[in-house]
Amino acid sequence: MTTIIERQAGFCFGVVRAITASERELQKSNQLYCIGDIVHNNMEVSRLEAMGLKTVTLEEFNRLHDCKVMIRAHGEPPQTYLTAKKNNISLIDATCPIVLKLQKEVLNAYGKLKKAGGQIIIFGKAGHAEVVGLEGQTENTAVVISSPSDLDKINMEKPLHIFSQTTKNKQDYENIISLIKQRHKTGEIFVTDSICKKVSLRAEKIGQFAKSMDCVLFVSGKHSSNGQYLFNLCKQHNDNTFLISAQEDIDIEKIKHFNTIGISGATSTPMWLMKKIEEYVHQKIDSE
Ligand code: SF4
């Protein structure tokens, strides 16, 4: 039996940046807060929490004073920066540069459309941190849609500017744009391709990887949007794909007869975890 970790797997650079910044800070002082999980992976969050990182909710953040708080790669709405200033909180801002650029584009588009009575549309998951950060650029007036059933929320007579959450599926984004174009009354629609290239390039490669393996262990936290998306792609190309978040989730009986076992993960899955899983699979299967 051979195991292969997909070459493209591991953290994206936005997540690496955020984790490196938190580790650097925790080496200096062992107290740092982070609004929400720094990465959608419980194992990595636990590792950093053992070093002193404390994850807080937005409500808890609003009550903090005179301390250091980390902004993760997903970014935050303008209100968070105002609260930090008011409460003497110094921010370690690890918003991914790609997300930061998108926030600026949404802000600019909102400035232009507001005068024309238009709407900003965000194709993404309502309540996801990145989406909340983008809505904040529009004074929370943006319309968030996640599927064709949400199209009734859009005023099809107003000018629109459509953006996507960076981790969405390219094909789904194109489909929803085409549906909006069919229904819109004036055709005054602007579209920004805001899907992260790191995610779309991985999506292209992951299917080939899954196809070349007898089975795939896809490692991801349950709340990772990008993990769910990449897992589904693997599954489409190889039905023997199993979603796991830790070695405890592996059913060895189901995989022990395969010759090649591929290991891959979301952009929020640490390489150390995939290596640990590889080791575990060898220990279990090679000893039988
Ligand atoms: S997936 Fe892309 S946009 Fe999101 S944090 Fe990673 S590099 Fe940045």
Side-chain angles (χ1 to χ4, degrees):
M1 182 272 300
T2 311
T3 51
I4 298 176
I5 298 179
E6 190 205 355
R7 269 184 45 210
Q8 320 281 329
F11 288 146
C12 62
F13 83 92
V15 171
V16 169
R17 239 177 122 251
I19 288 173
T20 310
S22 70
E23 284 172 335
R24 211 171 29 229
E25 193 53 43
L26 289 164
Q27 274 157 13
K28 282 192 260 162
S29 71
N30 61 355
Q31 200 182 43
L32 176 66
Y33 295 95
C34 182
I35 313 168
D37 285 342
I38 188 165
V39 56
H40 286 150
N41 188 283
N42 289 345
M43 310 278 277
E44 184 64 4
V45 170
S46 305
R47 187 184 73 83
L48 291 166
E49 285 183 345
M51 290 171 74
L53 187 71
K54 195 164 182 336
T55 308
V56 289
T57 62
L58 196 57
E59 291 71 37
E60 288 167 331
F61 164 74
N62 289 334
R63 292 196 293 270
L64 293 175
H65 284 264
D66 310 299
C67 58
K68 279 193 180 165
V69 175
M70 170 107 208
I71 292 186
R72 57 192 170 166
H74 297 314
E76 281 291 320
Q79 183 57 46
T80 302
Y81 293 84
L82 294 175
T83 305
K85 201 168 175 202
K86 181 165 73 81
N87 293 354
N88 195 33
I89 291 171
S90 49
L91 290 175
I92 297 178
D93 191 348
T95 306
C96 172
I98 294 172
V99 175
L100 208 54
K101 181 169 167 276
L102 175 56
Q103 287 185 345
K104 285 186 184 142
E105 286 173 347
V106 171
L107 182 67
N108 282 340
Y110 176 60
K112 287 182 194 151
L113 277 195
K114 197 178 170 186
K115 291 178 205 138
Q119 277 182 325
I120 297 290
I121 311 298
I122 298 166
F123 176 56
K125 189 173 168 192
H128 186 283
E130 184 190 311
V131 173
V132 172
L134 298 178
E135 288 178 275
Q137 312 304 318
T138 69
E139 300 173 296
N140 295 319
T141 61
V143 178
V144 180
I145 55 168
S146 62
S147 71
S149 63
D150 290 331
L151 293 187
D152 291 341
K153 294 184 192 168
I154 303 175
N155 184 333
M156 294 292 180
E157 290 175 357
K158 289 183 172 184
L160 306 177
H161 196 135
I162 313 171
F163 293 89
S164 167
Q165 183 182 336
T166 55
T167 47
K168 293 302 277 182
N169 173 334
K170 202 170 170 31
Q171 190 59 53
D172 291 348
Y173 188 38
E174 284 168 4
N175 291 347
I176 209 115
I177 291 166
S178 137
L179 289 174
I180 295 173
K181 285 186 173 167
Q182 281 167 29
R183 290 201 198 176
H184 200 266
K185 300 281 187 280
T186 66
E188 215 181 326
I189 300 172
F190 306 91
V191 176
T192 296
D193 175 5
S194 45
I195 293 177
C196 172
K197 299 287 176 288
K198 168 79 191 171
V199 177
S200 54
L201 286 176
R202 274 214 63 203
E204 280 169 28
K205 305 263 181 207
I206 206 164
Q208 295 162 13
F209 174 75
K211 236 193 279 183
S212 68
M213 297 289 125
D214 291 336
C215 87
V216 178
L217 297 174
F218 190 88
V219 192
S220 170
K222 291 190 178 67
H223 301 297
S224 166
S225 306
N226 142 274
Q228 198 57 51
Y229 166 49
L230 293 174
F231 165 72
N232 288 338
L233 280 178
C234 272
K235 187 88 182 155
Q236 277 165 26
H237 289 87
N238 187 332
D239 199 39
N240 295 316
T241 299
F242 304 99
L243 181 62
I244 57 167
S245 56
Q247 64 192 39
E248 292 73 24
D249 300 334
I250 303 172
D251 184 342
I252 291 292
E253 287 307 307
K254 275 194 185 156
I255 63 166
K256 66 180 189 190
H257 59 282
F258 291 122
N259 288 325
T260 52
I261 299 178
I263 299 169
S264 187
T267 53
S268 50
T269 304
M271 186 51 79
W272 64 259
L273 180 56
M274 286 180 280
K275 287 196 171 143
K276 202 168 156 206
I277 280 167
E278 181 177 44
E279 234 170 77
Y280 175 80
V281 167
H282 275 290
Q283 263 172 24
K284 288 284 174 186
I285 298 180
D286 295 349
S287 62
E288 285 203 358

